[in-house]
Amino acid sequence: MYKSFVECQQQLADVEAFDYYFANQICALWQLDDAVVFHMLMLSTCSIRRGHTCLPLTAIANQLEWDNDSSQHSGYQFAEIAELEKSLANLPFDDESFPLVFDGHSLYLRRYWQFEQTVAELIRPRCVTQTLNEQQLSAAQTMLNKVFNQSSQASETDWQAVAVANSLIHQLAVICGGPGTGKTYTVARLLVVLLAMADKQKTPRILMAAPTGKAAQRMLESINQTKLELARCGIEQTLLDKIPTSAATIHRLLGYRPESTRYRYNAERQLPCDILLIDEVSMIDVAMMSRILVALPQTARLIMLGDADQLPSVESGNILADLSQRPHPGYAILAQTQIATLTGYQVPLAPESLHSHVSFLYKTHRFSGPLADLAQAVISRQPKADEYLLHHKRTQASSSELQIDYFPQEIQKAWLKNACQTAYSAVMAADNVNDAFVQLAKFRVLAALRRGEYGTERLNEQIEQWLKEKHRQVRIGQHYQGRPIMINQNDYASGLFNGDTGLIWPHEDGRLMAFFATDEGLRAVSLARLPAHQSVYAMTIHKTQGSEFAHVALVLGDQVNQLMSAELLYTGLTRAKQKVSICGEFSVWRQARQMSMQRYSGLATRLFSKT
């Protein structure tokens, strides 16, 4: 098709070398000489980088790919579906050594097809509604009344109580909700009820995990706080003491080993648990979910928490969205009956529903006001989100006391410089490392991209330059007191993983060390032992999932790109607990708000198709 990659680049815009050489090698090995097949092979690996697990023919039929607005690249025009299927008809898909699979009118890399198959096969039986026996029912009702103080029936449905009751009757429980809806508040009560229902002779083994260290820490802090509240409400301390006092990253949970392609826990050596709780499931890709499920005993209960409206994982797949249809279609008869028996609440009935394992939390208890209204308007793709923004437009580079500020392009730099100098100077001036972490959690700059003029790499360089103007201790590219860092690679030896954030601060002996917050307190790591890392005054929105900051500066820039979407804006907005300052061109905001983050996947069909 092309004599070289250079020739391919001349015709196709932004084509990656990996895609070209992959297609070239497959065509050579299997003696394929078809331009349509060659370009579909290139697009199949490209689609994985874009987060898809498959490439539906409907998505590429009659589409022009690898083109741009200039006349320099002509791109490649795909034919209609019938022609595409004709080209695929002679490929050796039955040969298991062939790296592609054609299934459900979609083209898969075989590896990702296997991941999807594994996830579907291991999740499907867990979605079946189970029936509680009389002893379990009695214990559950008693404890539900205690943890939710249900002495009398309320007129309004308590969706947290419904979520707990529903989770008791499913081996897989998916609890979805936006910020402030009380997901960990709910799951702490669920664990107490499960422990109360358990055989007195055998305490269930509980493990808790999240994709990042920060998310695991936040989950643990929230559960520990809820345990204190439950103790004050009269819940037996013996039960509360059985809830774990630690939570791990998923890599640590599975036993990541850098010297091996296998994790410590797998199909042969499964996780030692009866209940596995995972938070921030939207961040988990299909490959990692397959590893979790393979390592989980068939008898174990799996509880998953997350916000289905957030950005999907950086890698391929959209697990939480595939598992949780929105709006909730209703509950099957058996699930509805048992929820009513346990709580007294009547939930919507849908006799043929295959989504009874999912519970949604609708009422926000913390995240409210104009910021919450804006986030909801964005994820609902309502034009009033644009009105909210324009209503809060600033004409000078100074903040208001409101929850929302919008700084257009012409004044954003002046405001951002002052905001960063003020917030991050407070970190450097803290009396001790604990206070420095408190200050660091008060403000963070978020961006959509890593590279480019408004990407995090450039922003971090700029912010350090601004700080250097005020603090002589700041040394660009070196360590100094108060420098926040993010780990960029998994390092089992040091116990640090991609996404972990720390702070450079003097140890008791005066030496600079890197401090990381853990469930057991601050942990100091020698600078010489740090794996690859970078300054993290600014973070990509993807990297902030599982984190919260009092004040967020959301930098949009002046150009729309393919990563911009309503989900990205929503995720950025919901990282702010108190205030958000939005910087950039209004046209970028408006176009992003109208765009959806689409992930091609066959998982939902495999799980819930009735055919």
Side-chain angles (χ1 to χ4, degrees), residues 323-360:
L323 283 172
S324 48
Q325 181 179 326
R326 291 161 290 165
H328 197 294
Y331 297 82
I333 294 174
L334 181 59
Q336 188 212 39
T337 302
Q338 291 191 93
I339 290 170
T341 301
L342 287 163
T343 67
Y345 298 117
Q346 292 293 327
V347 294
L349 175 65
E352 302 299 318
S353 176
L354 299 175
H355 293 80
S356 295
H357 61 286
V358 181
S359 302
F360 281 92

Side-chain angles (χ1 to χ4, degrees), residues 239-268:
L239 277 182
L240 298 175
D241 288 343
K242 293 175 182 178
I243 297 176
T245 56
S246 63
T249 64
I250 291 173
H251 280 94
R252 291 188 182 100
L253 175 80
L254 294 178
Y256 170 78
R257 296 183 294 183
E259 71 282 358
S260 172
T261 57
R262 287 169 60 85
Y263 286 78
R264 181 185 179 197
Y265 292 104
N266 47 57
E268 290 75 40

